[in-house]
Amino acid sequence: MNRPSLKSNALRSVRPAAPQVMALILVLCADWLVSHQFFNIRLQSGRLFGSVIDVFYHGAPVALLAIGMSLVIATGGIDLSVGAIMAISGAFAAVLINSNVPLWETIALALALGGLCGLWNGFLVAIIRIQPIVATLILLVAGRGIAQLITGGQIVTFDDVHLIGVASSSLLAIPLPIVIAALVLLITIALVRWTALGLLIEATGANALSSRYAGVETRVVTVSVYVWSGLCAGMAGIIAAADIRGADANNVGLWTELDAILAVVLGGASLLGGRFGLVRSVIGALIIQAMNTGILLSGFQPEFNLIVKAVVVLVVLLLQSPAMLRGIRSMRRRVAS
Amino acid sequence: MTLKTILASTALCATLALGAVQAQAAQLVVGFSQIGSESGWRAAETTVTREQAKAHGVTLKFSDAQQKQENQISAIRAFIAQNVDAIFLAPVVATGWDPVLKEAKDANIPVILLDRLIDTQDPSLYLTAVGSDVVHEGNVAGTWLVGAVGTKPCNVVEIQGTVGSSPAIGRKKGFEQAIAGHDNIKIIRSQTGDFVRAKGKEVMESFIKAEDNGKNICAVFAHNDDMVVGAIQAIKEAGLKPGKDILVVSIDGVPDMLKAQMAGEDNASVELTPNMAGPAFDALIAFKEHGTIPPHFIQTKSKLLLPADAQAEYDEKKNLGY
């Protein structure tokens, strides 16, 4: 196989994102309609402050999960345990920092624990050959219990300014979680698009057996995407804990795995594996958060939250559906003739 | 039954011989089926129940259901098989208890519900229920706000609990009742924070941005303390002073909220007492010793916690496992 040049590779992960970008712009415009100060940005204690910033800030954890989830789904797998891994890493970080472990060690250890959870998932999927939905279900159920063991079932709060800073400080006035998510996105793109790794992941997802015959180490590829997903979830968990200055093992990341999967789907990926787009998945995560923020600003009755969300998701998915697009095209032709 | 009487009388002789004053309570064995440990409050309730059992001289058999009704049903059956003197139940859901409670009734074992009620056509299935009145809790919070603002106009934002949950419905209703007729106080925005910290923070952030960077908000009322702890943070991040620029009132009385009161960032919280077991043991012992039938619902006090007493309250609560 001859590899496409670096340039086209980098472009490939951006260019087909048009429908997602359109959808995001649409949702952001709808947000502006329900709340006219939506795009107002000011500086508050040296960092950008405004509703549109909230979309990126609160979207960062799901964006991180979506990055890892994209790779997992590309191999034909799925990772249901990311919300539980968030709880585990957040709990571990909170307990470590309260035991006076230095910040960098705390973050490294909490991330490592997330990676270890991913390794466990990858081991079950690639080595033991349990179906991914079942294999990751194990941690989905047990993970929150592990997190509760770490915290002793309580919300462990911390006052360490450095760990809180993961969420509350900023780089060039941009809130740090946004910077972290952008960095992880760039690193992941570099790893999968500037090396053959992306190709191997897609090959594994498209047809694992023939990939193995072609000499692809599918097991190594599979384990590594789950580890990456675990690391991303670990980072998201640290950010979520820093955001509320505490580890809420019962509630952090609850059902967030579904948002991450939805983000990847909104990004146009197929759950059957194969092609994936990291930027598109991150835009998918931002669509979800723009929707959430818009609902909160709208002043609708909370009873409508889920209905509004479902309708928006349906519309975005219909906009992307090939069958739907074909239908629109043929209708246009009929009208034109 | 006769065997039990014989045993009881032997034990009675023994205790009399020892000069003990507690006759009957000393041998009471109570099985407690607890929901699980989904929140700090729940953990504190478990701790207080164990303490109260000790204080009343009752032997407590404890069973944690890990949020599953089937575990509670099998725990109750096990308690019946062990022939305990009474069963305390904190029901995880409202329905589906009739068959197993009927078994307890047939075995002549009284059941007392703690902190949550059940839906049943047969009120004789349980002796009494100890709990707070959620409407009253909301009312206490609203009444405090009415007193705090006087005749000044006050725009309130409300952070609700989980949509459709009975505490959310009741606390909202009670608060609205309390501010009814005070036209200077209006709820301008209301959104759900699902009873959790992170969502309380996110909802408050959106309220602040939607209402002229918070200048339009005079008070925040949250259906529980966890959400208010998140909201306080959102107020601070927006460069405002919680407790001063925006009044803060909520319900629960958890230690983290008491800390916020000590820091002057929270104005009032209505306590949901973790001591549901104390009144339950009192009612049970009165029933066993004198045959006193308790009222069918024993309402716990919904004490208003204010910053002046926050330190004392905190010292009392910090070791309860919240």
Side-chain angles (χ1 to χ4, degrees):
Chain A
M1 280 184 246
N2 53 2
R3 274 183 40 214
S5 72
L6 284 186
K7 193 172 156 206
S8 70
N9 244 340
L11 273 177
R12 204 177 52 165
S13 58
V14 178
R15 203 187 299 143
Q20 284 73 30
V21 173
M22 280 297 297
L24 179 61
I25 290 171
L26 274 177
V27 176
L28 289 174
C29 287
D31 288 349
W32 179 78
L33 283 177
V34 298
S35 163
H36 283 329
Q37 69 288 341
F38 184 78
F39 290 108
N40 295 0
I41 297 178
R42 62 183 173 97
L43 274 181
Q44 176 64 50
S45 354
R47 86 190 212 146
L48 295 170
F49 183 91
S51 291
V52 72
I53 301 296
D54 280 352
V55 171
F56 286 87
Y57 177 87
H58 287 294
V62 177
L64 283 166
L65 298 184
I67 292 167
M69 189 70 78
S70 298
L71 303 184
V72 170
I73 287 177
T75 64
I78 196 139
D79 190 348
L80 295 180
S81 68
V82 286
I85 296 176
M86 277 178 77
I88 293 174
S89 289
F92 197 42
V95 169
L96 286 173
I97 209 82
N98 281 346
S99 328
N100 299 322
V101 177
L103 176 76
W104 291 112
E105 277 176 50
T106 295
I107 290 179
L109 286 167
L111 281 179
L113 191 56
L116 193 67
C117 292
L119 189 65
W120 162 257
N121 284 332
F123 168 75
L124 291 181
V125 173
I127 316 296
I128 310 288
R129 300 227 168 276
I130 300 176
Q131 286 179 316
I133 197 164
V134 180
T136 56
L137 199 62
I138 296 171
L139 252 191
L140 164 76
V141 176
R144 215 159 276 284
I146 296 169
Q148 282 166 353
L149 281 177
I150 296 172
T151 57
Q154 306 172 336
I155 299 181
V156 176
T157 52
F158 48 85
D159 305 318
D160 182 90
V161 282
H162 306 293
L163 187 56
I164 291 169
V166 171
S168 65
S169 58
S170 48
L171 187 77
L172 307 173
I174 302 168
L176 206 56
I178 304 173
V179 178
I180 293 171
L183 264 178
V184 172
L185 177 65
L186 287 175
I187 292 168
T188 315
I189 289 178
L191 279 175
V192 299
R193 296 298 183 202
W194 297 356
T195 69
L197 192 59
L199 191 69
L200 301 183
I201 289 170
E202 287 179 352
T204 303
N207 191 330
L209 196 63
S210 44
S211 304
R212 234 192 339 274
Y213 287 148
V216 178
E217 282 285 358
T218 51
R219 280 190 301 193
V220 177
V221 170
T222 308
V223 171
S224 44
V225 296
Y226 283 96
V227 170
W228 196 249
S229 179
L231 286 170
C232 289
M235 194 65 240
I238 296 168
I239 291 173
D243 177 44
I244 60 160
R245 304 173 181 205
D248 186 352
N250 288 309
N251 299 306
V252 71
L254 199 60
W255 311 122
T256 315
E257 53 277 340
L258 299 181
D259 273 349
I261 294 166
L262 181 61
V264 176
V265 172
L266 288 178
S270 156
L271 288 180
L272 300 172
R275 297 278 314 270
F276 66 94
L278 292 168
V279 174
R280 292 202 305 263
S281 296
V282 168
I283 294 172
L286 292 174
I287 292 171
I288 296 172
Q289 189 54 49
M291 202 162 57
N292 287 342
T293 304
I295 289 170
L296 293 181
L297 289 167
S298 68
F300 286 145
Q301 296 266 349
E303 287 80 0
F304 292 114
N305 290 6
L306 299 174
I307 298 171
V308 173
K309 214 170 155 173
V311 170
V312 175
V313 169
L314 189 67
V315 169
V316 173
L317 288 178
L318 284 179
L319 283 176
Q320 291 180 20
S321 141
M324 179 90 178
L325 292 174
R326 269 200 303 274
I328 293 172
R329 252 182 246 128
S330 67
M331 276 219 329
R332 266 208 213 129
R333 269 200 296 276
R334 240 173 289 157
V335 170
S337 54
Chain B
M1 203 62 221
T2 47
L3 180 68
K4 224 175 159 181
T5 334
I6 295 165
L7 280 178
S9 46
T10 7
L12 188 65
C13 295
T15 43
L16 281 176
L18 287 169
V21 277
Q22 281 202 319
Q24 177 102 60
Q27 310 107 45
L28 282 183
V29 177
V30 173
F32 174 33
S33 171
Q34 173 64 295
I35 296 176
S37 53
E38 81 281 359
S39 66
W41 184 86
R42 183 71 49 195
E45 189 199 27
T46 302
T47 313
V48 173
T49 304
R50 289 181 198 272
E51 284 175 1
Q52 286 292 332
K54 217 178 257 147
H56 286 80
V58 173
T59 311
L60 192 75
K61 289 178 181 280
F62 180 78
S63 164
D64 181 325
Q66 299 178 335
Q67 323 291 332
K68 287 197 174 72
Q69 185 180 25
E70 64 247 44
N71 292 347
Q72 294 205 285
I73 290 172
S74 48
I76 293 169
R77 291 211 167 108
F79 291 146
I80 295 169
Q82 293 160 6
N83 203 7
V84 296
D85 298 294
I87 293 170
F88 286 6
L89 167 67
V92 64
V93 290
T95 53
W97 297 101
D98 286 30
V100 71
L101 293 189
K102 186 116 187 25
E103 289 167 36
K105 189 180 157 184
D106 294 342
N108 253 327
I109 299 173
V111 172
I112 298 183
L113 304 179
L114 297 189
D115 106 80
R116 293 186 185 187
L117 289 170
I118 58 170
D119 291 337
T120 176
Q121 296 300 326
D122 182 1
S124 75
L125 288 180
Y126 59 94
L127 176 68
T128 177
V130 182
S132 68
D133 178 331
V134 283
V135 178
H136 177 65
E137 287 170 340
N139 206 310
V140 173
T143 308
W144 172 84
L145 187 69
V146 167
V149 298
T151 52
K152 281 203 303 280
C154 183
N155 288 334
V156 183
V157 292
E158 178 185 41
I159 308 177
Q160 296 185 29
T162 305
V163 173
S165 69
S166 67
I169 295 167
R171 287 167 182 178
K172 182 175 177 61
K173 189 172 151 191
F175 187 83
E176 283 169 352
Q177 281 171 357
I179 62 169
H182 300 271
D183 296 337
N184 56 328
I185 302 174
K186 283 199 304 282
I187 296 179
I188 51 167
R189 278 176 180 269
S190 183
Q191 183 50 260
T192 176
D194 266 336
F195 288 126
V196 307
R197 243 172 243 221
K199 288 200 177 134
K201 176 168 182 265
E202 193 181 346
V203 167
M204 193 67 202
E205 284 170 4
S206 74
F207 285 164
I208 288 169
K209 278 153 191 138
E211 296 294 341
D212 195 14
N213 285 321
K215 290 188 196 69
N216 210 0
I217 302 172
C218 127
V220 54
F221 164 55
H223 290 186
N224 80 343
D225 282 345
D226 268 329
M227 293 191 291
V228 117
V229 169
I232 286 171
Q233 230 181 293
I235 296 169
K236 283 201 278 194
E237 282 175 13
L240 297 162
K241 286 194 178 64
K244 293 181 187 63
D245 299 331
I246 296 179
L247 298 175
V248 179
V249 56
S250 58
I251 295 163
D252 262 2
V254 303
D256 280 343
M257 184 282 310
L258 292 164
K259 273 196 214 161
Q261 282 197 353
M262 290 185 247
E265 294 169 347
D266 183 286
N267 307 90
S269 177
V270 181
E271 184 186 44
L272 170 62
T273 178
N275 184 8
M276 303 276 170
F281 283 124
D282 291 341
L284 177 70
I285 288 164
F287 174 73
K288 288 274 180 191
E289 284 184 2
H290 314 294
T292 318
I293 304 286
H296 210 55
F297 179 70
I298 299 171
Q299 189 182 329
T300 55
K301 268 202 215 53
S302 297
K303 192 168 62 169
L304 188 65
L305 304 178
L306 298 168
D309 314 315
Q311 183 68 55
E313 280 286 338
Y314 179 75
D315 292 340
E316 213 173 290
K317 285 191 167 175
K318 64 176 186 232
N319 296 323
L320 293 183
Y322 267 103

